[in-house]
């Protein structure tokens, strides 16, 4: 059996650890170590771990480096063949990890694999953040098997086939440590949001595959750090999505994005303003400001990614998910 480590990044998540960590401990196969990487918490997380979970290893970071930087720094201190990155608000039933490890064993060119994510609160529905595997459209908008924009489907077994996808959620991200390290891990400049999609894209450009295994199921609460439509989340999602496209997209896709995304993002900002959300209106413009300021750094990163390119991703939807959605086609169906 390979050396497998389950690594949970925590930042002031005492309540989540108290609620969800017991299921992770109970479901971990023999020989799989559980590590909590603490991102400079100031609540009672560390005291809870010391008193309530003595078998769990703790890696302490001196500050909050975000999801991307926090994991990168923590994983530098952890030796393993396979990293299982797990959000602190994920419930894991018995037998959830074995199908993921079996998939990696069967498929040496698969770099990362993920379970099906079900809502912890509405267990008949998919969970927004990852559902049963993710894709992006030609303009860079992400969606999932089971979730398109704000529409989340009920899980009726319609996406229970194991298959390659474009991205899988960072909430339950089972990856080969060697590939993670070779690609430099997550882009730490992202801080939070989109970093797993960016890494999955870079993995595919490096010649690896990304796969979802719905035989494995976990239950995700979601929104534990930043609530949906918070100004910070709007900012990071817009900025990091643009940065990811700049780094990884083909020249043709970049041209289309450059022509259409400014207008679409302006419409998004105006829709926030019409809702009385001036904070989110400003967040969209701050995202564009920071993205434009990032160009010298992003250009350097793009050159490195393109120089190492070995293949193209086959899982980018050639159309627009926005057009599809507003025409009323709000389920995944057979589109990919």
């Amino acid at each position: 059996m390979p050396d497998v480590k389950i690594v949970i990044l925590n930042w002031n998540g005492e309540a989540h650890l108290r609620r969800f960590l017991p299921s992770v401990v109970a479901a971990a196969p023999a020989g799989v170590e559980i590590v909590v990487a603490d991102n400079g918490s100031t609540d009672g997380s560390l005291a809870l771990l010391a008193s309530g979970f003595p078998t769990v290893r703790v890696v302490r970071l001196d500050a909050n480096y975000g999801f991307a930087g926090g994991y990168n720094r923590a994983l530098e201190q952890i030796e393993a063949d396979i990293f299982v990155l797990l959000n602190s608000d994920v419930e894991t039933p018995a037998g959830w990890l074995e199908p993921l490890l079996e998939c990696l064993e069967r498929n040496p060119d698969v770099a990362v694999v993920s379970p099906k994510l079900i809502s912890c609160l509405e267990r008949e529905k998919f969970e927004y953040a990852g559902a049963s595997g993710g894709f992006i459209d030609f303009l860079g908008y992400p969606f999932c098997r089971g979730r398109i924009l704000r529409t989340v489907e009920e899980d009726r077994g319609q996406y229970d086939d194991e298959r390659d996808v474009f991205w899988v959620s960072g909430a339950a991200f089972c990856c080969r440590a060697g590939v993670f390290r070779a690609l430099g891990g997550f882009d730490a400049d992202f801080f939070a949001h989109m970093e797993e999609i960016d890494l999955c894209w870079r993995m595919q450009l490096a010649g690896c595959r990304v796969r979802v295994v719905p035989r494995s199921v976990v239950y995700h609460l979601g929104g534990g750090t930043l609530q949906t439509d918070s100004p910070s989340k709007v900012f990071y999602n817009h900025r990091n999505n643009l940065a990811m496209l700049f780094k990884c997209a083909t020249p043709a896709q970049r041209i289309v994005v450059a022509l259409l995304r400014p207008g679409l993002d302006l419409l998004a900002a105006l829709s926030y303003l019409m809702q009385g959300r001036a904070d989110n209106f400003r967040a969209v413009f701050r995202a564009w400001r920071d993205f434009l300021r990032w160009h010298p750094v992003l250009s350097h990163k793009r050159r490195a990614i393109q120089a190492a390119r070995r293949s193209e991703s086959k899982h980018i939807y050639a159309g627009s998910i926005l057009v599809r959605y507003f025409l009323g086609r709000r389920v995944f169906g057979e589109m990919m």
Side-chain angles (χ1 to χ4, degrees), residues 145-161:
R145 298 200 304 167
R147 188 270 296 173
I148 293 181
L149 297 185
R150 296 303 182 89
T151 297
V152 179
E153 296 180 55
E154 291 186 3
D155 176 24
R156 303 184 301 277
Q158 67 270 42
Y159 308 125
D160 276 356
D161 56 312

Side-chain angles (χ1 to χ4, degrees), residues 11-330:
W11 179 67
N12 289 341
E14 178 185 0
H16 286 333
L17 293 174
R18 191 182 301 278
R19 177 178 175 181
F20 294 102
L21 188 52
S23 75
V24 180
V25 172
V32 174
E33 184 181 26
I34 300 170
V35 182
V36 171
D38 189 75
N39 229 351
S41 292
T42 56
D43 66 353
S45 295
L46 294 174
L48 171 66
L49 291 168
S51 63
F53 301 95
T55 64
V56 172
R57 175 183 167 192
V58 177
V59 172
R60 300 191 184 195
L61 303 178
D62 60 351
N64 179 13
Y65 294 99
F67 186 97
Y71 264 126
N72 285 356
R73 287 170 178 263
L75 295 179
E76 288 175 357
Q77 305 178 48
I78 299 170
E79 291 300 323
D81 300 312
I82 295 173
F83 294 137
V84 183
L85 311 185
L86 196 66
N87 276 18
S88 62
D89 59 348
V90 171
E91 177 186 327
T92 59
W96 77 279
L97 185 54
E98 288 83 349
L100 305 182
L101 301 179
E102 290 167 7
C103 178
L104 290 176
E105 184 178 3
R106 292 193 318 268
N107 301 280
D109 60 341
V110 170
V112 59
V113 65
S114 176
K116 177 169 67 174
L117 271 68
I118 299 298
S119 169
C120 193
L121 298 178
E122 299 179 272
R123 299 200 174 207
E124 74 283 0
K125 289 187 175 182
F126 291 102
E127 203 280 317
Y128 178 93
S132 192
F135 296 86
I136 63 169
D137 73 0
F138 205 69
L139 293 174
Y141 293 103
F143 60 97
C144 307
R145 298 200 304 167
R147 188 270 296 173
I148 293 181
L149 297 185
R150 296 303 182 89
T151 297
V152 179
E153 296 180 55
E154 291 186 3
D155 176 24
R156 303 184 301 277
Q158 67 270 42
Y159 308 125
D160 276 356
D161 56 312
E162 180 180 321
R163 62 159 294 172
D164 287 2
V165 292
F166 186 83
W167 61 273
V168 293
S169 173
F173 193 90
C174 179
C175 68
R176 298 188 189 277
V179 177
F180 185 93
R181 296 192 196 283
L183 295 178
F186 297 118
D187 188 329
D189 289 337
F190 279 28
F191 190 79
H193 297 294
M194 295 279 174
E195 65 284 305
E196 77 269 51
I197 305 179
D198 172 76
L199 179 55
C200 285
W201 199 343
R202 290 187 281 121
M203 286 174 168
Q204 292 167 84
L205 295 179
C208 299
R209 293 156 59 204
V210 176
R211 200 158 177 85
V212 64
V213 180
R215 286 187 297 123
S216 172
V217 178
V218 298
Y219 301 92
H220 185 208
L221 182 62
T225 303
L226 291 177
Q227 297 300 314
T228 301
D229 276 356
S230 73
S232 293
K233 191 164 189 175
V234 169
F235 167 75
Y236 286 126
N237 276 336
H238 278 266
R239 185 197 65 173
N240 294 349
N241 183 262
L242 292 167
M244 174 183 72
L245 288 161
F246 187 94
K247 293 191 303 175
C248 299
T250 64
Q253 188 179 8
R254 289 178 69 203
I255 290 170
V256 173
V257 169
L259 291 173
L260 297 182
R261 277 294 295 271
L264 291 171
D265 285 0
L266 176 60
L267 289 175
L270 292 174
S271 72
Y272 284 126
L273 195 60
M274 292 173 64
Q275 298 167 31
R277 296 298 306 271
D279 49 357
N280 284 350
F281 173 83
R282 290 189 294 269
V284 175
F285 285 93
R286 286 195 298 112
W288 269 92
R289 179 201 65 193
D290 280 19
F291 165 64
L292 294 173
R293 289 176 176 175
W294 248 0
H295 268 50
V297 173
L298 292 174
S299 295
H300 175 76
K301 292 180 179 181
R302 176 177 174 79
R303 286 193 294 271
I305 292 169
Q306 301 308 315
R309 180 192 293 264
R310 294 177 56 190
S311 65
E312 302 290 341
S313 173
K314 302 175 182 178
H315 305 292
I316 297 176
Y317 177 50
S320 167
I321 202 65
L322 295 177
V323 171
R324 180 184 175 91
Y325 184 85
F326 289 112
L327 287 177
R329 302 173 67 191
R330 300 182 178 182

